[in-house]
Amino acid sequence: FIMALVTQCTSISFYENPDYQQIALSLLFSPLGVLARWRLSKRNSWRPSFPIGTFTCNMLACALSGSLGSLLAGNPGPKERILLVSIVAGFGGTLSSLATFIVEILAGIDPILFRFDGVIYATASIGFAMVIGFVFSASVEWADETQANTIVDNGN
């Protein structure tokens, strides 16, 4: 792990092209997302019909994408943009997993036994992801409006 970390850090300094720097930084953040997913997946056995660990991972990834995505929309500098995109792609990309999501949906569906827990899990996941993504992406705009209103109120 230490050798991989040193290799990644030195490779960032060798690359002049921002796209290559972004790839190197994404690879640096990826193991953190994998470790977080692995630790949270241990919570899936708490309630087998609703895998809470995978649900939490996916919601955290939505919150991260929404909040950092709105910061990216604010037109940061080139170095800040590389870092923010690398965090979303590296950490957020490995924290959320479509393959695990699909497997857990299919594991919760059994039409013979009339068990449709996977449909409930999928609906809850998509619904909560939309709400969390909206709240975290809109929070920057709300904070900007609050700050602008505070400045106007203090100016009067």
Side-chain angles (χ1 to χ4, degrees):
F1 178 75
I2 298 294
M3 286 182 60
L5 185 65
V6 169
T7 304
Q8 284 295 96
C9 290
T10 56
S11 69
I12 292 170
S13 63
F14 288 132
Y15 291 130
E16 299 289 329
N17 188 347
D19 292 335
Y20 295 147
Q21 289 175 344
Q22 181 179 330
I23 291 170
L25 272 175
S26 295
L27 291 173
L28 188 63
F29 290 120
S30 292
L32 301 174
V34 171
L35 288 173
R37 175 174 266 301
W38 172 68
R39 291 297 294 165
L40 286 170
S41 70
K42 292 182 182 254
R43 304 288 182 243
N44 286 346
S45 61
W46 178 64
R47 186 173 173 163
S49 63
F50 193 89
I52 194 73
T54 303
F55 179 79
T56 304
C57 288
N58 291 336
M59 295 308 111
L60 287 173
C62 287
L64 180 74
S65 295
S67 60
L68 294 184
S70 62
L71 290 176
L72 283 168
N75 206 10
K79 291 183 180 180
E80 291 84 8
R81 178 173 296 282
I82 290 171
L83 180 66
L84 292 173
V85 170
S86 298
I87 291 172
V88 170
F91 181 72
T94 55
L95 185 63
S96 66
S97 173
L98 181 64
T100 306
F101 179 66
I102 297 298
V103 166
E104 289 174 347
I105 290 172
L106 294 176
I109 297 174
D110 190 359
I112 295 172
L113 298 175
F114 295 110
R115 190 175 131 226
F116 296 101
D117 295 333
V119 175
I120 295 168
Y121 171 65
T123 306
S125 294
I126 292 170
F128 276 102
M130 290 172 57
V131 170
I132 288 173
F134 171 73
V135 168
F136 276 86
S137 65
S139 63
V140 173
E141 293 175 18
W142 294 334
D144 288 344
E145 288 177 16
T146 304
Q147 183 180 11
N149 290 338
T150 304
I151 291 172
V152 170
D153 290 341
N154 290 339
N156 288 332

